[in-house]
Short mmCIF file of all heavy atoms in Angstrom, two decimals:
data_model
loop_
_atom_site.label_atom_id
_atom_site.label_comp_id
_atom_site.label_asym_id
_atom_site.label_seq_id
_atom_site.Cartn_x
_atom_site.Cartn_y
_atom_site.Cartn_z
N MET S 173 46.95 47.82 9.65
CA MET S 173 48.10 46.95 10.02
C MET S 173 47.74 46.06 11.22
O MET S 173 48.09 44.86 11.22
CB MET S 173 49.31 47.82 10.35
CG MET S 173 50.62 47.04 10.42
SD MET S 173 51.04 46.24 8.83
CE MET S 173 52.74 45.59 9.20
N SER S 174 47.00 46.59 12.15
CA SER S 174 46.63 45.77 13.31
C SER S 174 45.81 44.55 12.95
O SER S 174 45.84 43.57 13.58
CB SER S 174 45.87 46.59 14.34
OG SER S 174 44.59 46.98 13.85
N ARG S 175 45.14 44.69 11.82
CA ARG S 175 44.31 43.53 11.37
C ARG S 175 45.20 42.30 11.06
O ARG S 175 44.90 41.20 11.37
CB ARG S 175 43.56 43.95 10.10
CG ARG S 175 42.31 43.21 9.90
CD ARG S 175 41.62 43.56 8.57
NE ARG S 175 41.54 45.05 8.46
CZ ARG S 175 41.26 45.66 7.29
NH1 ARG S 175 41.11 44.97 6.17
NH2 ARG S 175 41.12 46.90 7.21
N PHE S 176 46.42 42.57 10.52
CA PHE S 176 47.33 41.52 10.22
C PHE S 176 47.96 40.94 11.52
O PHE S 176 48.13 39.71 11.62
CB PHE S 176 48.36 41.98 9.22
CG PHE S 176 47.82 42.42 7.94
CD1 PHE S 176 47.71 43.69 7.60
CD2 PHE S 176 47.41 41.42 7.03
CE1 PHE S 176 47.20 44.10 6.35
CE2 PHE S 176 46.83 41.78 5.82
CZ PHE S 176 46.77 43.11 5.46
N ILE S 177 48.23 41.78 12.40
CA ILE S 177 48.83 41.35 13.66
C ILE S 177 47.86 40.50 14.45
O ILE S 177 48.28 39.51 15.00
CB ILE S 177 49.28 42.60 14.46
CG1 ILE S 177 50.42 43.25 13.79
CG2 ILE S 177 49.73 42.13 15.88
CD1 ILE S 177 50.78 44.61 14.40
N ASP S 178 46.56 40.86 14.36
CA ASP S 178 45.57 40.06 15.06
C ASP S 178 45.53 38.63 14.60
O ASP S 178 45.04 37.78 15.37
CB ASP S 178 44.18 40.75 14.86
CG ASP S 178 43.99 41.96 15.70
OD1 ASP S 178 44.83 42.16 16.62
OD2 ASP S 178 43.05 42.70 15.45
N SER S 179 45.85 38.38 13.34
CA SER S 179 45.64 37.02 12.86
C SER S 179 46.72 36.07 13.40
O SER S 179 46.62 34.85 13.26
CB SER S 179 45.70 37.05 11.33
OG SER S 179 46.94 37.40 10.87
N LYS S 180 47.77 36.61 13.98
CA LYS S 180 48.83 35.77 14.58
C LYS S 180 48.95 36.11 16.09
O LYS S 180 48.88 37.30 16.41
CB LYS S 180 50.14 35.95 13.90
CG LYS S 180 50.15 35.44 12.50
CD LYS S 180 51.48 34.87 12.14
CE LYS S 180 51.43 34.04 10.88
NZ LYS S 180 52.67 33.37 10.58
N VAL S 181 49.17 35.10 16.83
CA VAL S 181 49.35 35.28 18.28
C VAL S 181 50.57 34.58 18.73
O VAL S 181 51.05 33.65 18.09
CB VAL S 181 48.14 34.80 19.05
CG1 VAL S 181 46.84 35.49 18.65
CG2 VAL S 181 47.98 33.27 19.00
N TRP S 182 51.04 35.02 19.80
CA TRP S 182 52.25 34.41 20.42
C TRP S 182 51.87 33.11 21.06
O TRP S 182 50.98 33.03 21.92
CB TRP S 182 52.86 35.34 21.44
CG TRP S 182 54.11 34.82 21.99
CD1 TRP S 182 54.18 34.20 23.23
CD2 TRP S 182 55.41 34.82 21.43
NE1 TRP S 182 55.51 33.80 23.45
CE2 TRP S 182 56.21 34.10 22.33
CE3 TRP S 182 55.92 35.21 20.20
CZ2 TRP S 182 57.65 33.96 22.05
CZ3 TRP S 182 57.26 35.08 19.93
CH2 TRP S 182 58.09 34.38 20.85
N CYS S 183 52.49 32.05 20.65
CA CYS S 183 52.28 30.75 21.27
C CYS S 183 53.48 30.50 22.23
O CYS S 183 54.57 30.38 21.80
CB CYS S 183 52.17 29.63 20.22
SG CYS S 183 52.07 28.04 21.01
N PRO S 184 53.20 30.42 23.58
CA PRO S 184 54.24 30.19 24.54
C PRO S 184 54.85 28.78 24.39
O PRO S 184 55.93 28.57 24.86
CB PRO S 184 53.53 30.40 25.83
CG PRO S 184 52.11 30.16 25.59
CD PRO S 184 51.85 30.62 24.15
N LEU S 185 54.07 27.87 23.76
CA LEU S 185 54.61 26.48 23.66
C LEU S 185 55.55 26.33 22.44
O LEU S 185 56.51 25.63 22.44
CB LEU S 185 53.46 25.48 23.54
CG LEU S 185 52.48 25.48 24.73
CD1 LEU S 185 51.33 24.50 24.49
CD2 LEU S 185 53.21 25.12 25.98
N CYS S 186 55.23 27.12 21.40
CA CYS S 186 56.10 27.11 20.23
C CYS S 186 57.14 28.14 20.26
O CYS S 186 58.10 28.08 19.51
CB CYS S 186 55.20 27.30 18.96
SG CYS S 186 54.07 26.00 18.57
N ASN S 187 56.97 29.12 21.17
CA ASN S 187 57.90 30.24 21.29
C ASN S 187 57.95 31.03 20.01
O ASN S 187 59.06 31.44 19.64
CB ASN S 187 59.32 29.69 21.65
CG ASN S 187 59.55 29.91 23.09
OD1 ASN S 187 59.25 31.00 23.70
ND2 ASN S 187 60.07 28.87 23.77
N LYS S 188 56.82 31.23 19.39
CA LYS S 188 56.82 32.07 18.18
C LYS S 188 55.41 32.50 17.85
O LYS S 188 54.51 31.97 18.48
CB LYS S 188 57.47 31.43 17.00
CG LYS S 188 56.81 30.08 16.55
CD LYS S 188 57.45 29.53 15.36
CE LYS S 188 56.80 28.47 14.71
NZ LYS S 188 57.47 28.08 13.42
N ASN S 189 55.28 33.42 16.91
CA ASN S 189 53.95 33.79 16.55
C ASN S 189 53.32 32.75 15.58
O ASN S 189 54.02 32.22 14.69
CB ASN S 189 54.02 35.16 15.77
CG ASN S 189 54.19 36.27 16.76
OD1 ASN S 189 53.47 36.35 17.74
ND2 ASN S 189 55.11 37.18 16.46
N VAL S 190 52.12 32.40 15.86
CA VAL S 190 51.49 31.39 15.11
C VAL S 190 50.10 31.79 14.70
O VAL S 190 49.51 32.73 15.26
CB VAL S 190 51.36 30.10 15.88
CG1 VAL S 190 52.74 29.48 16.21
CG2 VAL S 190 50.53 30.20 17.11
N GLN S 191 49.60 31.11 13.73
CA GLN S 191 48.20 31.34 13.29
C GLN S 191 47.30 30.33 14.10
O GLN S 191 47.63 29.12 14.16
CB GLN S 191 48.07 31.00 11.81
CG GLN S 191 46.70 31.30 11.25
CD GLN S 191 46.79 32.57 10.38
OE1 GLN S 191 47.76 32.78 9.70
NE2 GLN S 191 45.76 33.31 10.36
N LEU S 192 46.28 30.84 14.66
CA LEU S 192 45.39 29.93 15.37
C LEU S 192 44.23 29.48 14.46
O LEU S 192 43.86 30.18 13.56
CB LEU S 192 44.75 30.62 16.61
CG LEU S 192 45.74 31.07 17.70
CD1 LEU S 192 45.01 31.67 18.86
CD2 LEU S 192 46.64 29.91 18.14
N LEU S 193 43.93 28.21 14.63
CA LEU S 193 42.92 27.55 13.78
C LEU S 193 41.65 27.20 14.55
O LEU S 193 41.76 26.94 15.70
CB LEU S 193 43.49 26.24 13.18
CG LEU S 193 44.86 26.32 12.55
CD1 LEU S 193 45.40 24.91 12.31
CD2 LEU S 193 44.81 27.11 11.28
N ARG S 194 40.60 27.22 13.81
CA ARG S 194 39.34 26.64 14.46
C ARG S 194 39.53 25.19 14.68
O ARG S 194 40.22 24.51 13.90
CB ARG S 194 38.13 26.89 13.49
CG ARG S 194 37.60 28.28 13.63
CD ARG S 194 36.39 28.47 12.77
NE ARG S 194 36.82 28.33 11.38
CZ ARG S 194 36.04 28.16 10.35
NH1 ARG S 194 34.79 28.05 10.51
NH2 ARG S 194 36.52 28.11 9.12
N VAL S 195 38.92 24.67 15.79
CA VAL S 195 39.14 23.28 16.16
C VAL S 195 38.72 22.37 15.03
O VAL S 195 39.44 21.38 14.70
CB VAL S 195 38.31 22.99 17.46
CG1 VAL S 195 38.30 21.47 17.74
CG2 VAL S 195 38.97 23.76 18.66
N ALA S 196 37.57 22.60 14.46
CA ALA S 196 37.14 21.71 13.32
C ALA S 196 38.08 21.63 12.22
O ALA S 196 38.39 20.59 11.62
CB ALA S 196 35.71 22.19 12.85
N HIS S 197 38.67 22.80 11.90
CA HIS S 197 39.56 22.89 10.78
C HIS S 197 40.94 22.14 11.16
O HIS S 197 41.44 21.46 10.40
CB HIS S 197 39.81 24.38 10.46
CG HIS S 197 40.70 24.67 9.34
ND1 HIS S 197 40.49 24.18 8.06
CD2 HIS S 197 41.94 25.29 9.31
CE1 HIS S 197 41.51 24.59 7.30
NE2 HIS S 197 42.42 25.29 7.92
N ALA S 198 41.35 22.49 12.37
CA ALA S 198 42.57 21.82 12.85
C ALA S 198 42.47 20.30 12.86
O ALA S 198 43.37 19.62 12.53
CB ALA S 198 42.94 22.38 14.21
N ALA S 199 41.30 19.87 13.27
CA ALA S 199 41.05 18.41 13.38
C ALA S 199 41.25 17.75 12.01
O ALA S 199 41.80 16.70 11.88
CB ALA S 199 39.69 18.13 13.90
N LYS S 200 40.73 18.40 10.99
CA LYS S 200 40.85 17.86 9.60
C LYS S 200 42.30 17.91 9.16
O LYS S 200 42.82 16.92 8.56
CB LYS S 200 40.01 18.73 8.64
CG LYS S 200 38.63 18.17 8.51
CD LYS S 200 37.80 18.96 7.52
CE LYS S 200 36.38 18.66 7.72
NZ LYS S 200 35.48 19.72 7.33
N LEU S 201 42.97 18.94 9.51
CA LEU S 201 44.40 19.08 9.06
C LEU S 201 45.29 18.02 9.57
O LEU S 201 46.11 17.49 8.88
CB LEU S 201 44.97 20.46 9.54
CG LEU S 201 44.72 21.66 8.70
CD1 LEU S 201 45.40 22.85 9.34
CD2 LEU S 201 45.26 21.41 7.26
N VAL S 202 45.10 17.66 10.87
CA VAL S 202 46.01 16.63 11.43
C VAL S 202 45.26 15.31 11.52
O VAL S 202 45.79 14.33 12.08
CB VAL S 202 46.50 17.09 12.85
CG1 VAL S 202 47.46 18.28 12.68
CG2 VAL S 202 45.39 17.34 13.79
N ASP S 203 44.06 15.23 10.97
CA ASP S 203 43.35 13.99 10.88
C ASP S 203 43.12 13.30 12.26
O ASP S 203 43.41 12.13 12.51
CB ASP S 203 44.13 13.01 9.96
CG ASP S 203 43.29 11.84 9.52
OD1 ASP S 203 41.99 11.97 9.48
OD2 ASP S 203 43.81 10.75 9.28
N VAL S 204 42.54 14.10 13.22
CA VAL S 204 42.10 13.57 14.47
C VAL S 204 40.67 13.98 14.73
O VAL S 204 40.20 14.93 14.08
CB VAL S 204 43.04 13.94 15.64
CG1 VAL S 204 44.42 13.49 15.47
CG2 VAL S 204 42.92 15.46 15.86
N HIS S 205 40.04 13.38 15.65
CA HIS S 205 38.74 13.79 16.09
C HIS S 205 38.80 15.12 16.83
O HIS S 205 39.72 15.28 17.64
CB HIS S 205 38.05 12.72 16.89
CG HIS S 205 36.59 12.88 17.01
ND1 HIS S 205 35.99 13.72 17.90
CD2 HIS S 205 35.61 12.24 16.32
CE1 HIS S 205 34.70 13.63 17.76
NE2 HIS S 205 34.40 12.74 16.80
N PRO S 206 37.84 16.04 16.62
CA PRO S 206 37.84 17.27 17.39
C PRO S 206 37.92 17.05 18.87
O PRO S 206 38.57 17.80 19.62
CB PRO S 206 36.54 17.93 17.05
CG PRO S 206 36.21 17.45 15.65
CD PRO S 206 36.75 15.99 15.63
N ARG S 207 37.31 15.92 19.33
CA ARG S 207 37.37 15.59 20.80
C ARG S 207 38.84 15.38 21.20
O ARG S 207 39.17 15.74 22.36
CB ARG S 207 36.52 14.39 20.98
CG ARG S 207 35.90 14.32 22.37
CD ARG S 207 34.94 13.18 22.51
NE ARG S 207 33.83 13.26 21.56
CZ ARG S 207 32.92 12.32 21.34
NH1 ARG S 207 33.02 11.15 21.91
NH2 ARG S 207 31.96 12.51 20.48
N THR S 208 39.63 14.81 20.41
CA THR S 208 40.98 14.58 20.73
C THR S 208 41.71 15.96 20.93
O THR S 208 42.56 16.08 21.79
CB THR S 208 41.74 13.84 19.54
OG1 THR S 208 40.98 12.64 19.30
CG2 THR S 208 43.20 13.51 19.94
N ILE S 209 41.33 16.90 20.08
CA ILE S 209 41.96 18.20 20.23
C ILE S 209 41.60 18.86 21.56
O ILE S 209 42.37 19.43 22.26
CB ILE S 209 41.55 19.05 19.04
CG1 ILE S 209 42.25 18.55 17.79
CG2 ILE S 209 41.97 20.55 19.27
CD1 ILE S 209 41.98 19.28 16.56
N TYR S 210 40.32 18.68 21.92
CA TYR S 210 39.88 19.28 23.23
C TYR S 210 40.58 18.59 24.41
O TYR S 210 40.91 19.25 25.40
CB TYR S 210 38.38 19.10 23.39
CG TYR S 210 37.56 20.11 22.58
CD1 TYR S 210 36.78 19.71 21.52
CD2 TYR S 210 37.65 21.43 22.82
CE1 TYR S 210 36.05 20.58 20.73
CE2 TYR S 210 36.99 22.37 21.98
CZ TYR S 210 36.13 21.93 20.99
OH TYR S 210 35.52 22.85 20.20
N ARG S 211 40.89 17.32 24.20
CA ARG S 211 41.66 16.69 25.24
C ARG S 211 43.08 17.26 25.34
O ARG S 211 43.60 17.47 26.39
CB ARG S 211 41.77 15.07 24.94
CG ARG S 211 42.42 14.33 26.01
CD ARG S 211 42.22 12.85 25.84
NE ARG S 211 42.73 12.34 24.56
CZ ARG S 211 44.06 12.11 24.35
NH1 ARG S 211 44.93 12.34 25.27
NH2 ARG S 211 44.45 11.67 23.15
N TYR S 212 43.71 17.49 24.14
CA TYR S 212 45.03 18.13 24.10
C TYR S 212 44.96 19.47 24.87
O TYR S 212 45.87 19.83 25.64
CB TYR S 212 45.53 18.36 22.71
CG TYR S 212 45.88 17.17 21.92
CD1 TYR S 212 45.81 17.11 20.54
CD2 TYR S 212 46.34 15.99 22.52
CE1 TYR S 212 46.19 16.02 19.78
CE2 TYR S 212 46.68 14.90 21.79
CZ TYR S 212 46.62 14.90 20.43
OH TYR S 212 47.05 13.80 19.71
N ILE S 213 43.90 20.17 24.59
CA ILE S 213 43.73 21.47 25.26
C ILE S 213 43.65 21.35 26.77
O ILE S 213 44.36 22.01 27.53
CB ILE S 213 42.49 22.27 24.67
CG1 ILE S 213 42.67 22.58 23.21
CG2 ILE S 213 42.28 23.54 25.55
CD1 ILE S 213 41.39 23.07 22.56
N ASP S 214 42.86 20.37 27.20
CA ASP S 214 42.64 20.15 28.61
C ASP S 214 43.98 19.78 29.25
O ASP S 214 44.26 20.19 30.37
CB ASP S 214 41.72 18.95 28.84
CG ASP S 214 40.23 19.37 28.82
OD1 ASP S 214 40.04 20.60 28.77
OD2 ASP S 214 39.33 18.46 28.83
N GLU S 215 44.76 19.02 28.55
CA GLU S 215 45.99 18.49 29.10
C GLU S 215 47.11 19.57 28.94
O GLU S 215 48.27 19.34 29.38
CB GLU S 215 46.44 17.22 28.47
CG GLU S 215 45.46 16.11 28.86
CD GLU S 215 45.72 14.79 28.04
OE1 GLU S 215 46.71 14.78 27.28
OE2 GLU S 215 45.01 13.82 28.33
N GLY S 216 46.82 20.69 28.34
CA GLY S 216 47.85 21.75 28.12
C GLY S 216 48.88 21.36 27.09
O GLY S 216 49.96 21.93 27.13
N LEU S 217 48.58 20.42 26.16
CA LEU S 217 49.54 20.05 25.20
C LEU S 217 49.57 20.91 23.98
O LEU S 217 50.57 21.04 23.33
CB LEU S 217 49.21 18.59 24.75
CG LEU S 217 49.36 17.55 25.90
CD1 LEU S 217 48.81 16.17 25.37
CD2 LEU S 217 50.80 17.41 26.38
N VAL S 218 48.46 21.61 23.74
CA VAL S 218 48.45 22.59 22.69
C VAL S 218 47.97 23.88 23.21
O VAL S 218 47.10 23.93 24.16
CB VAL S 218 47.53 22.09 21.48
CG1 VAL S 218 47.95 20.76 20.92
CG2 VAL S 218 46.07 22.08 21.92
N TYR S 219 48.46 24.91 22.62
CA TYR S 219 48.03 26.25 23.00
C TYR S 219 46.67 26.57 22.44
O TYR S 219 46.46 26.33 21.15
CB TYR S 219 49.09 27.27 22.58
CG TYR S 219 48.72 28.66 22.98
CD1 TYR S 219 48.69 29.05 24.32
CD2 TYR S 219 48.36 29.61 22.02
CE1 TYR S 219 48.35 30.32 24.64
CE2 TYR S 219 48.06 30.91 22.37
CZ TYR S 219 48.08 31.27 23.72
OH TYR S 219 47.68 32.52 24.04
N ALA S 220 45.76 27.06 23.24
CA ALA S 220 44.43 27.39 22.74
C ALA S 220 43.92 28.67 23.37
O ALA S 220 44.35 29.01 24.45
CB ALA S 220 43.45 26.26 23.09
N ARG S 221 43.15 29.37 22.64
CA ARG S 221 42.54 30.58 23.13
C ARG S 221 41.07 30.47 22.95
O ARG S 221 40.56 29.96 21.96
CB ARG S 221 42.97 31.68 22.25
CG ARG S 221 44.07 32.40 22.75
CD ARG S 221 44.20 33.78 22.10
NE ARG S 221 45.37 34.37 22.70
CZ ARG S 221 45.75 35.67 22.55
NH1 ARG S 221 44.93 36.44 21.80
NH2 ARG S 221 46.78 36.10 23.06
N ARG S 222 40.29 30.86 24.01
CA ARG S 222 38.91 30.81 23.98
C ARG S 222 38.42 32.10 23.20
O ARG S 222 38.84 33.11 23.56
CB ARG S 222 38.33 30.79 25.32
CG ARG S 222 36.96 30.14 25.42
CD ARG S 222 36.37 30.53 26.69
NE ARG S 222 36.94 29.72 27.83
CZ ARG S 222 36.33 28.71 28.40
NH1 ARG S 222 35.17 28.34 27.96
NH2 ARG S 222 36.92 28.06 29.39
N VAL S 223 37.55 31.88 22.23
CA VAL S 223 36.95 33.00 21.55
C VAL S 223 35.42 32.93 21.60
O VAL S 223 34.88 31.85 21.69
CB VAL S 223 37.37 33.10 20.07
CG1 VAL S 223 38.83 33.46 19.98
CG2 VAL S 223 37.10 31.84 19.34
N ALA S 224 34.81 34.06 21.66
CA ALA S 224 33.36 34.14 21.68
C ALA S 224 32.74 33.24 22.77
O ALA S 224 31.71 32.58 22.53
CB ALA S 224 32.76 33.73 20.31
N GLY S 225 33.41 33.16 23.89
CA GLY S 225 32.82 32.43 25.06
C GLY S 225 33.08 30.96 25.10
O GLY S 225 33.62 30.45 26.04
N LYS S 226 32.73 30.24 24.05
CA LYS S 226 32.81 28.80 24.18
C LYS S 226 33.51 28.09 22.97
O LYS S 226 33.58 26.83 22.99
CB LYS S 226 31.44 28.18 24.33
CG LYS S 226 30.49 28.58 23.25
CD LYS S 226 29.05 27.95 23.56
CE LYS S 226 28.11 28.35 22.46
NZ LYS S 226 26.77 27.81 22.71
N THR S 227 34.02 28.81 22.02
CA THR S 227 34.76 28.17 20.99
C THR S 227 36.23 28.41 21.20
O THR S 227 36.62 29.38 21.78
CB THR S 227 34.34 28.57 19.55
OG1 THR S 227 34.44 30.00 19.52
CG2 THR S 227 32.91 28.12 19.28
N TYR S 228 37.06 27.55 20.64
CA TYR S 228 38.47 27.69 20.79
C TYR S 228 39.10 27.83 19.45
O TYR S 228 38.68 27.34 18.41
CB TYR S 228 39.05 26.41 21.50
CG TYR S 228 38.79 26.31 22.90
CD1 TYR S 228 37.75 25.54 23.39
CD2 TYR S 228 39.69 26.97 23.83
CE1 TYR S 228 37.56 25.45 24.77
CE2 TYR S 228 39.49 26.82 25.19
CZ TYR S 228 38.43 26.07 25.65
OH TYR S 228 38.19 25.98 26.99
N ARG S 229 40.26 28.54 19.53
CA ARG S 229 41.14 28.50 18.38
C ARG S 229 42.50 27.85 18.95
O ARG S 229 42.87 28.12 20.03
CB ARG S 229 41.55 29.91 17.98
CG ARG S 229 40.36 30.77 17.41
CD ARG S 229 40.16 30.41 15.96
NE ARG S 229 39.27 31.34 15.35
CZ ARG S 229 37.94 31.26 15.44
NH1 ARG S 229 37.38 30.29 16.20
NH2 ARG S 229 37.18 32.16 14.86
N VAL S 230 43.01 27.00 18.12
CA VAL S 230 44.17 26.28 18.60
C VAL S 230 45.38 26.47 17.72
O VAL S 230 45.31 26.82 16.56
CB VAL S 230 43.91 24.75 18.68
CG1 VAL S 230 42.81 24.42 19.65
CG2 VAL S 230 43.58 24.13 17.30
N CYS S 231 46.59 26.24 18.25
CA CYS S 231 47.84 26.42 17.56
C CYS S 231 48.13 25.17 16.76
O CYS S 231 48.24 24.07 17.30
CB CYS S 231 48.96 26.68 18.59
SG CYS S 231 50.57 26.61 17.78
N GLY S 232 48.12 25.37 15.40
CA GLY S 232 48.40 24.26 14.52
C GLY S 232 49.74 23.61 14.71
O GLY S 232 49.86 22.37 14.62
N GLU S 233 50.71 24.42 15.09
CA GLU S 233 52.09 23.91 15.13
C GLU S 233 52.22 23.01 16.40
O GLU S 233 52.87 21.94 16.42
CB GLU S 233 53.10 25.03 15.24
CG GLU S 233 52.97 25.86 14.01
CD GLU S 233 54.28 26.43 13.59
OE1 GLU S 233 55.35 25.93 14.11
OE2 GLU S 233 54.28 27.32 12.76
N CYS S 234 51.55 23.32 17.48
CA CYS S 234 51.47 22.51 18.68
C CYS S 234 50.79 21.18 18.30
O CYS S 234 51.29 20.08 18.75
CB CYS S 234 50.69 23.15 19.81
SG CYS S 234 51.43 24.52 20.60
N LEU S 235 49.75 21.26 17.53
CA LEU S 235 49.03 20.00 17.12
C LEU S 235 49.94 19.11 16.35
O LEU S 235 49.93 17.89 16.62
CB LEU S 235 47.83 20.36 16.29
CG LEU S 235 46.46 20.61 17.01
CD1 LEU S 235 45.46 20.89 15.96
CD2 LEU S 235 46.14 19.36 17.92
N TYR S 236 50.65 19.65 15.40
CA TYR S 236 51.51 18.81 14.56
C TYR S 236 52.57 18.09 15.47
O TYR S 236 52.95 17.03 15.22
CB TYR S 236 52.24 19.65 13.52
CG TYR S 236 51.39 19.91 12.30
CD1 TYR S 236 51.01 21.18 11.92
CD2 TYR S 236 50.88 18.81 11.52
CE1 TYR S 236 50.22 21.40 10.81
CE2 TYR S 236 50.08 19.04 10.49
CZ TYR S 236 49.76 20.29 10.09
OH TYR S 236 48.93 20.55 8.99
N ARG S 237 53.01 18.88 16.48
CA ARG S 237 54.00 18.32 17.39
C ARG S 237 53.40 17.10 18.13
O ARG S 237 54.11 16.14 18.40
CB ARG S 237 54.50 19.38 18.38
CG ARG S 237 55.96 19.18 18.73
CD ARG S 237 56.58 20.45 19.32
NE ARG S 237 55.68 21.16 20.18
CZ ARG S 237 55.40 22.45 20.09
NH1 ARG S 237 56.00 23.15 19.16
NH2 ARG S 237 54.59 23.00 20.88
N GLN S 238 52.17 17.24 18.51
CA GLN S 238 51.52 16.11 19.26
C GLN S 238 51.52 14.91 18.31
O GLN S 238 51.68 13.76 18.72
CB GLN S 238 50.09 16.43 19.61
CG GLN S 238 49.98 17.52 20.71
CD GLN S 238 50.98 17.28 21.82
OE1 GLN S 238 51.01 16.15 22.42
NE2 GLN S 238 51.75 18.28 22.19
N ARG S 239 51.11 15.17 17.05
CA ARG S 239 51.08 14.12 16.08
C ARG S 239 52.40 13.38 15.92
O ARG S 239 52.42 12.18 15.83
CB ARG S 239 50.64 14.68 14.71
CG ARG S 239 49.20 15.12 14.74
CD ARG S 239 48.32 13.92 14.42
NE ARG S 239 48.46 13.60 12.99
CZ ARG S 239 48.12 12.43 12.50
NH1 ARG S 239 47.65 11.48 13.26
NH2 ARG S 239 48.32 12.17 11.24
N SER S 240 53.44 14.09 15.85
CA SER S 240 54.72 13.47 15.59
C SER S 240 55.29 12.74 16.82
O SER S 240 56.10 11.87 16.71
CB SER S 240 55.72 14.49 15.02
OG SER S 240 55.83 15.60 15.92
N ASP S 241 54.86 13.22 18.02
CA ASP S 241 55.19 12.51 19.22
C ASP S 241 54.49 11.20 19.46
O ASP S 241 54.91 10.32 20.12
CB ASP S 241 54.92 13.37 20.46
CG ASP S 241 56.00 14.47 20.59
OD1 ASP S 241 56.99 14.45 19.81
OD2 ASP S 241 55.82 15.34 21.45
N ALA S 242 53.31 11.12 18.78
CA ALA S 242 52.41 10.00 19.12
C ALA S 242 52.93 8.66 18.55
O ALA S 242 53.74 8.65 17.67
CB ALA S 242 51.01 10.28 18.51
ZN1 ZN P 225 52.09 26.31 19.45
#
């Protein structure tokens, strides 16, 4: 059961449990450059978690919100 729980994390920006996406994958989904996503992370606009030291997983719902605000 814990395996399923692990796949979702609490996003404080969305106020709910979300699935985190790899940056490359998320970039394709919302059709932006991965660099743009790193900028969102830097600016605290999307929730991200660092995994394995230097890669990130990002909240897709936060990203979609950025897109609709743009
Ligand atoms: Zn979020």
Side-chain angles (χ1 to χ4, degrees):
M173 194 61 173
S174 66
R175 209 183 307 165
F176 295 106
I177 293 170
D178 282 348
S179 67
K180 289 215 166 184
V181 301
W182 181 259
C183 175
L185 301 177
C186 294
N187 262 313
K188 61 180 190 172
N189 283 313
V190 296
Q191 185 107 35
L192 296 185
L193 310 169
R194 276 180 296 165
V195 169
H197 182 61
K200 270 183 195 148
L201 275 182
V202 294
D203 195 29
V204 298
H205 197 278
R207 211 171 297 170
T208 305
I209 292 182
Y210 286 114
R211 185 168 58 79
Y212 289 157
I213 296 170
D214 275 353
E215 294 174 0
L217 296 173
V218 303
Y219 179 68
R221 267 197 182 192
R222 206 197 284 256
V223 291
K226 56 182 178 181
T227 55
Y228 285 97
R229 294 279 192 279
V230 298
C231 169
E233 302 213 15
C234 286
L235 268 183
Y236 279 120
R237 212 162 41 233
Q238 293 314 311
R239 288 273 290 159
S240 54
D241 284 353

